[in-house]
Amino acid sequence: MKRNPRAAFVAFLSVQLLLSIGSAQAGPAPGQAGIASAHPLATQAGYEMLAAGGNAFDAAIAVSAVLGVVEPYSSGLGGGAFWLLHLADEQRDVFVDAREVAPGAATPDMYLDADGVPVPGASFNGPLAAGIPGQAAGLAHLAEHYGRLPLAQLFAPAIRIAEEGFPVHRRLLLGLGFRRKTADRWPAFGAVYYPDGEIPEIGDTLRQPDLARTLRRLVSQGIGDFYTGELARLLVEGNRAGGGIWSLEDFAAYRVIEREPIGFFYRGVRIISAPLPSSGGIVIANTLNILDGYELDAVDSVTRKHLIIEAMRRAYRDRAEFLADGDFVDVPVARLLDKTYAAGQRTSIRIDRATPSDMLADIEPATGEGAHTTHFSVLDADGNRVAGTMTINSWYGSAFMAPGTGLLLNNEMDDFAVKPKVPNSFDLIGSVANAVAPGKRPLSSMSPTFLESGRGIAILGTPGGSRIISMVLLASLEWMRGGSAEEMVSLRRYHHQYLPDELSYETGALTDEEVAALEARGHNVRESRRPFGNMNVVTWDFGSGKVETATDPRAKIEGRVY
Ligand code: GLY
């Protein structure tokens, strides 16, 4: 009988899981839970739900809704989300895909002029840049299938904060600086975020009455209103009046998809991460499979970094060539996850020399994806978990608000490949596989991830565009070396994404000596002026029973942020 490789792999995973985490505990010590998010008000809303008898999934809904209010530049009902769930009762992981989809009238050349040249900003600014939002449907899906509390209770903190306002913080202002020019073109956006035409001051109270009304409406009418009711009409009319191509049919057709996560083992640690249409899980698996051939802890720090960079280079190269929405194109997922494939990739790595990216097999490149996004992690006292990463793509998404809704529309269409050989604003390239098509989901890098071993569990993720994947990878390696949640979020980060062929690093990630040694091996090293990411981690240590939460020091709401 022919062996089914997928079934064999699943069986392998199950046995490995039992071996690696032994008698997995049902949950942390009684009363212990952990939530880490990018804003204290969101974290607080999550804890309120747990205190009210809700589970991790209820907490995740409340956290998601509040983040859309207090970080309107990162995520919201006008965008999309991935939530990776662990159901403790069933010992099962589920990936909830609420990614935006391209509207039915989208075409592969919709962002090109008559000469086939990309129109600057067309996939980035305004209504034409927006995919059909999935977050609202995703929250409804979580509430209906996994939560315990009613939507009125779950949305109450978000409604209250949208109505009563919250103190303006520095991150909010930096995004407004970035969006100043585009705001003038779309008055509904400017009216909320630039009161009296000015950027507000830190500590001012920001109220979002239209957003509060929309949230209230979803509670009273049900989330169906977003896709087939009055809200759908307002969104479509607003989008079209601004020059977009959305239709009511697009909204009626939107579906949340439950997918099987990517699961694999690296040196006794089980890693569960995002499947297509995210590139995250596949790229992390491929990178670690390549690294599995080396004793990373036995080599000097320069060689360790060199090997990690060379593995990233190869995995990101394959991302560029192959990865896209697997419901639309044939992606060789099994090959990319195969350890033998990784062994082949390893043969081209030299310990003493960087491989110039143009010496790897060429691809038919196109564009990639952007960076304004948010991540949170939740663990409840029963051991249920959520790693949620949500986005409207770049700062304030498309900077277009559908009038009367308070909802900022995403610019996720920029995550598609608008034209071969044209890198996007984050220098990421892709292939024709990721071309625009009606109903297709743009390739993402969002990588909500769980790590499981005999030591315990980590729940992690971060915003950061193409760097999300390398950040999750470095934090995972840190945890595998015994690092704490705090060490995972504080770790200085470096990154290579194949093209551009450069090793970028945050100040402090490499010493001067390491820079010199990596340059001597042929790496093109560049220090980045900006910190990378905003990671939020929850860990649970089986030995001590301790649950630890950690938020990224780079982006404290009070204090220095980028
Ligand atoms: N828009 C960011 C991502 O999905 O990766």
Side-chain angles (χ1 to χ4, degrees), residues 33-37 42-50 56 59-60 63 376-380 536-538 547-551:
I35 301 176
S37 88
T43 303
Q44 189 185 320
Y47 281 122
E48 273 174 36
M49 298 305 132
L50 296 181
V63 171
F376 67 90
S377 298
V378 182
L379 171 71
D380 72 17
N536 286 293
V537 173
V538 175
V547 172
E548 194 188 346
T549 61
T551 57

Side-chain angles (χ1 to χ4, degrees), residues 147-488:
R148 293 179 190 146
L149 303 178
L151 209 55
Q153 193 169 355
L154 297 168
F155 275 13
I159 293 171
R160 188 184 66 239
I161 297 164
E163 257 163 13
E164 295 174 5
F166 66 96
V168 166
H169 51 84
R170 190 179 294 272
R171 278 168 78 78
L172 194 115
L173 297 191
L174 291 174
L176 289 180
F178 169 72
R179 274 310 194 183
R180 187 77 194 88
K181 281 195 196 128
T182 34
D184 292 342
R185 291 169 59 189
W186 294 296
F189 169 60
V192 178
Y193 299 110
Y194 304 83
D196 311 316
E198 298 299 328
I199 294 183
E201 310 254 321
I202 290 186
D204 283 358
T205 299
L206 180 69
R207 294 188 182 82
Q208 298 167 87
D210 282 352
L211 177 55
R213 226 180 349 265
T214 290
L215 288 162
R216 277 195 189 286
R217 196 176 166 82
L218 292 177
V219 169
S220 63
Q221 304 295 310
I223 302 237
D225 193 65
F226 194 99
Y227 292 95
T228 53
E230 176 62 11
L231 256 176
R233 190 186 62 73
L234 279 174
L235 287 164
V236 169
E237 279 177 7
N239 174 276
R240 293 186 82 92
I245 56 171
W246 283 2
S247 72
L248 288 173
E249 291 72 32
D250 293 332
F251 274 68
Y254 186 84
R255 295 287 174 270
V256 174
I257 302 177
E258 286 206 352
R259 302 184 187 273
E260 195 176 323
I262 297 289
F264 63 99
F265 279 85
Y266 173 77
R267 303 203 161 205
V269 177
R270 182 177 179 237
I271 294 138
I272 304 110
S273 192
L276 297 173
S278 173
S279 54
I282 294 173
V283 174
I284 292 169
N286 185 209
T287 310
L288 288 174
N289 284 344
I290 295 172
L291 292 174
D292 209 2
Y294 305 100
E295 292 305 326
L296 284 186
D297 290 332
V299 296
D300 62 85
S301 82
V302 170
T303 301
R304 176 182 165 91
K305 287 172 175 139
H306 167 76
L307 291 171
I308 292 172
I309 292 154
E310 290 302 314
M312 282 180 190
R313 183 197 304 278
R314 285 157 178 80
Y316 271 97
R317 183 221 161 270
D318 283 1
R319 177 196 193 281
E321 176 162 3
F322 299 115
L323 301 192
D325 183 345
D327 294 341
F328 278 71
V329 290
D330 238 348
V331 179
V333 176
R335 166 150 64 97
L336 298 174
L337 296 177
D338 196 307
K339 289 197 186 276
T340 312
Y341 178 68
Q345 291 169 295
R346 224 164 22 237
T347 58
S348 67
I349 295 179
R350 282 180 56 170
I351 295 282
D352 60 335
R353 282 309 294 164
T355 311
S357 289
D358 62 12
M359 284 183 63
L360 298 178
D362 198 9
I363 64 158
E364 204 40 55
T367 70
E369 104 273 0
H372 237 286
T373 302
T374 191
H375 174 86
F376 67 90
S377 298
V378 182
L379 171 71
D380 72 17
D382 293 325
N384 296 306
R385 300 173 227 152
V386 181
T389 313
M390 311 182 293
T391 190
I392 52 172
N393 196 24
S394 59
W395 286 110
Y396 291 92
S398 64
F400 180 84
M401 183 174 278
T405 65
L407 297 184
L408 264 170
L409 306 191
N410 67 83
N411 57 352
E412 221 69 56
M413 294 295 282
D414 197 55
D415 278 0
F416 279 118
V418 302
K419 168 150 179 152
K421 301 197 173 168
V422 180
N424 76 345
S425 49
F426 293 94
D427 286 332
L428 200 57
I429 62 162
S431 83
V432 288
N434 190 29
V436 181
K440 190 173 173 186
R441 295 174 190 226
L443 184 62
S444 173
S445 294
M446 296 193 294
S447 309
T449 296
F450 301 146
L451 308 175
E452 300 174 348
S453 77
R455 174 187 171 199
I457 276 162
I459 308 168
L460 69 154
T462 180
S466 56
R467 293 181 186 138
I468 290 174
I469 304 170
S470 58
M471 288 189 261
V472 169
L473 174 87
L474 293 178
S476 300
L477 288 170
E478 182 66 16
W479 186 76
M480 293 175 203
R481 291 171 110 185
S484 64
E486 206 59 54
E487 285 164 332
M488 291 164 79

